[in-house]
């Protein structure tokens, strides 16, 4: 009988081609073949042409003096003076100038709340209490009429505080509603399923502008005489219903993607419908659709600019408000738009970065 | 599997009774046809048969993952109907192990095991964890308690799934092709755990084609085809002296290579 051969494993060796470092990276990503090289050169040339021009306009020849005369001097580039002059109007809209500390404090509190809500250390039941307290404080500060604060009606609220409040509140309300509707569309009960389907199809079938328009002008017609609901509430409801319909479909997509075995295993362990959804299905389904949900949130944040249709002047609206009526500064709207673009961008970019972090958190269990 | 474990003898009490059970998928696919079957407490049954013969559907009716449309089905004295309370009661007494393991990938191994005891059984967390660790030791995988399921091999995952089902202290264990999704090298580790379990007096119904397991453990082999129970016998007689042409043909196919 032949002797048994002892198996010996080979030691692992480093990969033959270097993939890390600047030169290998550029070789792989910028100059891999002639098409890639050509694209790199064309894009590089365009950047070389446009970037200096933009820098020249935005920085080198720009002026920051809040003086329209100075801006009209030939050869002067961007007129940032318009921001220095009008920033309070752009950021706070028509809110009375002398009490603008109130929206400032209210918005900072709201932002702090949003940051806290995104931080793992705050994820416990006290966060809910914190939400109630801060939202209460927000509206008290904004509306006033108590504690010696003068009353400021909602039609005078505006600018960034309005953008942030409308988008964050409608996001927070739309999310659970979307989950409920998504579960409803998969319900075994035909009445619930039909109702949820009609809701989603109806809302998705019309533009946000008409939803806001209806919430603002048509809804009051159906109310009993003498009963009025503040336009702010109606707009919030409109935004929430609109966002929830889209988000519900995203959530439903996640639910559909769940293997049937998960619900079966949960059922075989005796878990109830709600326990199964809450502890097994939703945590996994939502983790799958984090990018799409954040997509919806970012869209919603920018969609708030449409509330201008019902005469609420959020950030975009109050830019128009600040410049349209002022013949001196009206020509410098471009600079104004660059300014609010930066504001919008920083919020949206923060949301997109946060979504990447969340994705990393929820995918931890998939790492080997 | 050459060793025959010391067997706890099955009692005379019927724990599962199928009485003329019929089931259809859709309007035309008659998947279970006039199933009559009595399972005694502590009995170990292996169900085999070609694919599409209704084996899985049969055992999935026992914990109501599938509903039967005609006939009666009793599990531990309770009849399975639309009554949610009855279903809940039965599911607490019936554990199930699936072909695809179906562990919850977003929970750790330990959390997979404590979930049902904590939220269905209302057992305090510490107690549930202690019991879970005990079950993990039984399937020889306690050192993996903190890992996530996808970090384990298929055989390890299936052993965790068995431990999870055992955490409910079920009277009945259902196995739906527990080794069919495993690499050959891992089948043995799962079968060993199942053989060890067979000594403990728990009622086992196992859909499998592992005939070695059937010979070593089963009190009875049930052969199904086209939604019917074609033949049932003790393993020795079933394998050595099958009674019907259908079972002879089946056995020649699975044992003949």
């Amino acid at each position: 009988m032949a002797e048994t051969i002892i198996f010996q494993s080979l030691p692992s060796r480093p990969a033959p081609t270097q993939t890390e470092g600047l030169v290998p990276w550029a070789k792989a990503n910028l100059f891999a073949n002639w098409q890639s090289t050509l694209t790199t050169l064309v894009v590089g040339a365009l950047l070389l042409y446009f970037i200096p021009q933009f820098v020249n306009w935005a920085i080198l020849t720009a002026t920051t003096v809040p003086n329209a005369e100075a801006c009209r001097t030939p050869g002067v580039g961007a007129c940032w003076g318009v921001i220095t002059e009008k920033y309070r109007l752009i950021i706070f809209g028509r809110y009375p100038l002398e009490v603008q500390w109130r929206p400032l404090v209210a918005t900072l509190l709201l932002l702090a709340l949003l940051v806290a809500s995104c931080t793992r250390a705050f994820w416990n039941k006290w966060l809910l209490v914190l939400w109630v307290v801060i939202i209460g404080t927000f509206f008290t500060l904004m509306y006033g009429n108590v504690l010696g604060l003068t009353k400021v009606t909602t039609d005078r609220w505006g600018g960034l505080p309005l953008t942030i409040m409308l988008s964050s509140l409608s996001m927070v309300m739309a999310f659970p509603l979307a989950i409920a509707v998504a579960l409803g569309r998969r319900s075994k009960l035909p009445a619930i399923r039909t109702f949820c389907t009609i809701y989603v199809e109806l809302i998705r079938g019309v533009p946000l502008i008409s939803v806001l328009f209806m919430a603002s002008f048509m809804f009051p017609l159906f109310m009993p005489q003498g009963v009025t609901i503040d336009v702010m509430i109606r707009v919030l409801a409109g935004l929430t219903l609109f966002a929830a319909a889209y988000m519900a479909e995203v959530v439903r997509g996640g639910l559909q993607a769940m293997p049937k075995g998960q619900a079966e295993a949960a059922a075989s362990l005796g878990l109830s419908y709600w326990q199964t959804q809450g502890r097994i299905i939703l945590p996994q389904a939502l983790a799958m659709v984090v990018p799409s949900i954040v997509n919806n949130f970012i869209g919603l944040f920018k969609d708030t600019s449409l509330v201008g249709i019902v005469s609420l002047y959020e950030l975009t609206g109050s830019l128009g408000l600040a410049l349209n009526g002022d013949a001196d500064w009206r020509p410098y709207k471009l600079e104004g738009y660059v300014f609010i673009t930066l504001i919008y961008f920083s919020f949206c970019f923060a949301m997109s970065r946060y979504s990447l972090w969340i994705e990393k958190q929820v995918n931890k269990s998939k790492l080997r | 599997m050459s060793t025959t474990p010391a067997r706890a003898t099955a009692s005379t009490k019927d724990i599962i009774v199928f009485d003329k059970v019929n089931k259809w998928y859709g309007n035309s696919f008659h998947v279970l046809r006039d199933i009559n079957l009595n399972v005694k407490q502590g009995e170990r049954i292996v169900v085999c048969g070609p694919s599409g013969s209704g084996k899985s559907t049969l055992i999935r009716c026992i914990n109501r993952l599938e509903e039967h449309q005609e006939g009666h089905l009793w599990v531990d004295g309770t009849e399975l109907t639309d009554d949610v309370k009855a279903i809940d009661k039965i599911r607490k007494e019936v554990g199930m192990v699936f072909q695809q393991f179906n562990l919850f990938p977003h929970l750790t191994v330990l959390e997979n095991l404590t979930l049902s005891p904590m939220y269905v059984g209302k057992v305090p967390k510490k107690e549930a964890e202690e019991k879970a660790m005990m079950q993990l030791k039984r399937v020889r995988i306690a050192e993996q308690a903190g890992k996530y399921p996808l970090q384990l091999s298929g055989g390890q995952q299936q052993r965790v799934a068995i431990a999870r089902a055992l955490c409910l202290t079920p009277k009945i264990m259902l196995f739906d092709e527990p080794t069919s999704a495993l690499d050959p090298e891992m089948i043995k580790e799962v079968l060993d755990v199942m053989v060890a379990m067979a000594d403990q007096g728990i009622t086992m119904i196992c859909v499998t084609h592992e005939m070695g397991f059937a010979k070593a453990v089963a009190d009875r082999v049930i052969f199904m085809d086209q939604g019917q129970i074609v033949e049932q016998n003790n393993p020795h007689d079933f394998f050595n002296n099958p009674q019907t042409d259908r079972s002879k043909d089946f056995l020649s196919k699975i044992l003949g290579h």
Side-chain angles (χ1 to χ4, degrees):
Chain A
M1 203 172 139
E3 211 176 311
T4 314
I5 301 164
I6 308 292
F7 164 76
Q8 282 183 326
S9 66
L10 294 170
S12 73
R13 293 188 297 264
T17 49
Q18 214 61 38
T19 49
E20 281 156 38
L22 189 65
V23 176
W25 178 86
K27 227 180 214 168
N29 292 295
L30 300 177
F31 304 103
N33 49 35
W34 72 266
Q35 293 99 323
S36 152
T37 308
L38 185 70
T39 315
T40 305
L41 292 177
V42 170
V43 171
L46 287 173
L47 288 178
L48 275 179
Y49 180 73
F50 283 111
I51 288 181
Q53 292 203 25
F54 180 77
V55 170
N56 193 35
W57 175 79
I59 300 168
L60 299 179
T61 59
T63 167
T64 52
V65 191
N67 178 349
E69 287 300 323
C71 291
R72 278 196 285 273
T73 319
V76 167
C79 173
W80 299 120
V82 66
I83 311 298
T84 339
E85 175 76 16
K86 299 282 190 185
Y87 75 94
R88 285 180 75 158
L89 205 50
I90 298 172
I91 289 186
F92 294 115
R94 299 203 298 145
Y95 206 87
L97 196 67
E98 62 284 1
V99 285
Q100 278 180 354
W101 65 271
R102 279 160 52 182
L104 180 65
V105 172
T107 308
L108 288 177
L109 276 174
L110 188 54
L111 284 176
L113 174 66
L114 293 174
V115 170
S117 309
C118 291
T119 316
R120 185 178 280 272
F122 287 89
W123 292 347
N124 55 47
K125 60 176 190 270
W126 291 106
L127 190 59
L128 207 68
V129 179
L130 199 63
W131 264 89
V132 174
V133 170
I134 290 191
I135 296 299
T137 314
F138 182 91
F139 281 97
T140 313
L141 273 171
M142 293 293 283
Y143 192 75
N145 209 17
V146 282
L147 305 169
L149 299 170
T150 49
K151 181 172 163 182
V152 180
T153 50
T154 54
D155 56 313
R156 304 214 47 184
W157 302 9
L160 192 57
L162 192 59
T163 299
I164 294 177
M165 184 272 283
L166 285 177
S167 47
S168 56
L169 282 190
S170 46
M171 277 174 207
V172 169
M173 292 189 293
F175 188 53
L177 181 60
I179 292 175
V181 172
L183 290 176
R185 283 198 74 170
R186 289 159 52 89
S187 168
K188 278 185 197 148
L189 307 169
I192 293 181
R193 202 170 55 228
T194 315
F195 178 78
C196 291
T197 308
I198 290 177
Y199 162 70
V200 168
E201 296 304 339
L202 213 62
I203 297 278
R204 285 204 305 179
V206 294
L208 176 55
I209 287 205
S210 45
V211 173
L212 291 175
F213 193 81
M214 283 204 266
S216 177
F217 299 114
M218 274 181 61
F219 183 69
L221 300 180
F222 306 129
M223 294 298 291
Q225 283 257 301
V227 179
T228 52
I229 298 176
D230 193 279
V231 65
M232 194 68 66
I233 309 276
R234 280 179 272 140
V235 161
L236 257 178
L239 280 172
T240 302
L241 290 176
F242 189 79
Y246 282 83
M247 224 180 290
E249 285 300 277
V250 170
V251 174
R252 194 169 67 92
L255 293 173
Q256 302 286 59
M258 287 297 296
K260 216 172 139 220
Q262 291 288 305
E264 285 178 353
S268 80
L269 289 169
L271 269 68
S272 68
Y273 172 82
W274 291 110
Q275 284 172 329
T276 304
Q277 300 303 325
R279 300 200 176 270
I280 306 300
I281 306 298
L282 281 172
Q284 296 182 65
L286 293 178
M288 267 190 277
V289 295
V290 167
S292 309
I293 288 182
V294 173
N295 212 6
N296 276 6
F297 279 175
I298 289 176
L300 178 59
F301 182 73
K302 290 178 295 182
D303 277 351
T304 55
S305 56
L306 292 173
V307 300
I309 190 79
V310 294
S311 311
L312 291 177
Y313 296 97
E314 47 57 71
L315 191 56
T316 312
S318 48
L319 174 69
L321 205 65
L323 299 186
N324 287 350
D326 191 331
D328 280 346
W329 292 108
R330 198 161 40 211
Y332 305 104
K333 224 173 175 179
L334 176 61
E335 285 82 348
Y337 271 112
V338 172
F339 177 61
I340 66 165
T341 299
L342 285 176
I343 295 178
Y344 277 114
F345 179 78
S346 41
F347 278 98
C348 295
F349 189 66
M351 279 192 257
S352 132
R353 291 278 103 179
Y354 180 69
S355 124
L356 289 182
W357 181 78
I358 282 281
E359 268 177 71
K360 230 188 232 162
Q361 299 297 308
V362 297
N363 284 332
K364 266 189 182 156
S365 64
K366 291 189 188 135
L367 299 177
R368 280 173 188 266
Chain B
M1 239 145 297
S2 53
T3 53
T4 308
R7 295 184 174 194
T9 40
S11 79
T12 47
K13 189 184 154 223
D14 285 335
I15 195 164
I16 301 171
V17 178
F18 282 78
D19 177 20
K20 278 198 105 175
V21 167
N22 279 280
K23 176 172 175 62
W24 291 260
Y25 285 134
N27 287 329
S28 53
F29 185 29
H30 195 169
V31 60
L32 293 182
R33 305 180 190 185
D34 287 349
I35 299 287
N36 290 307
L37 175 66
N38 290 38
V39 179
K40 297 210 175 346
Q41 192 163 353
E43 201 177 5
R44 290 156 299 222
I45 291 179
V46 161
V47 184
C48 61
S51 70
S53 59
K55 319 176 290 279
S56 291
T57 310
L58 177 82
I59 69 164
R60 286 158 63 89
C61 281
I62 297 171
N63 65 351
R64 196 85 171 170
L65 289 185
E66 304 283 357
E67 292 171 23
H68 59 280
Q69 285 133 331
E70 270 180 15
H72 300 279
L73 172 53
W74 286 272
V75 178
D76 198 27
T78 307
E79 185 175 4
L80 273 167
T81 55
D82 287 333
D83 180 12
V84 180
K85 277 212 180 101
I87 296 171
D88 284 346
K89 175 179 172 284
I90 285 165
R91 281 179 179 166
K92 277 180 209 164
E93 293 172 7
V94 180
M96 187 162 199
V97 174
F98 300 85
Q99 182 178 354
Q100 299 297 342
F101 329 135
N102 292 348
L103 293 176
F104 305 129
H106 62 304
L107 302 177
T108 63
V109 165
L110 189 63
E111 287 166 344
N112 263 278
L113 266 69
T114 55
L115 183 76
S116 178
M118 277 171 64
Y119 297 107
V120 181
K122 308 286 178 209
V123 176
K125 186 174 180 196
K126 197 156 169 278
E127 202 185 315
E129 282 180 350
E130 277 165 16
K131 207 174 156 202
M133 287 309 294
M134 213 176 72
Q135 293 298 348
L136 286 176
K137 281 197 191 104
R138 243 172 107 179
V139 299
R140 296 189 299 279
I141 205 162
E143 68 283 359
Q144 315 279 14
K147 286 198 179 169
Y148 287 99
L150 296 185
Q151 296 167 329
L152 306 180
S153 74
Q156 289 174 322
Q157 288 189 51
Q158 194 61 300
R159 283 187 282 148
V160 171
I162 294 173
R164 179 175 72 177
L166 288 173
C167 274
L168 291 171
T169 33
K171 291 182 180 168
I172 302 164
M173 278 288 281
L174 308 173
F175 294 85
D176 191 358
E177 306 208 29
T179 56
S180 301
L182 295 175
D183 291 340
E185 281 187 324
M186 294 169 184
I187 291 178
K188 188 176 175 300
E189 64 184 60
V190 170
L191 289 180
D192 284 350
V193 165
M194 289 167 62
V195 170
M197 215 169 97
D199 299 343
Q200 323 246 324
I202 197 166
T203 310
M204 285 170 77
I205 303 183
C206 185
V207 174
T208 184
H209 293 140
E210 293 295 332
M211 292 306 144
F213 174 79
K215 284 177 191 164
V217 167
D219 297 311
R220 183 158 41 138
V221 177
I222 290 176
F223 174 69
M224 285 185 75
D225 191 20
Q226 294 174 30
Q228 282 169 273
I229 295 178
V230 177
E231 187 174 339
Q232 41 183 318
N233 213 333
N234 66 65
H236 180 269
D237 292 340
F238 177 74
F239 289 114
N240 296 318
N241 187 20
Q243 299 295 308
T244 60
D245 58 336
R246 194 63 198 88
S247 52
K248 275 178 192 161
D249 181 49
F250 176 76
L251 284 173
S252 75
K253 276 178 189 148
I254 67 163
L255 299 173
H257 58 82

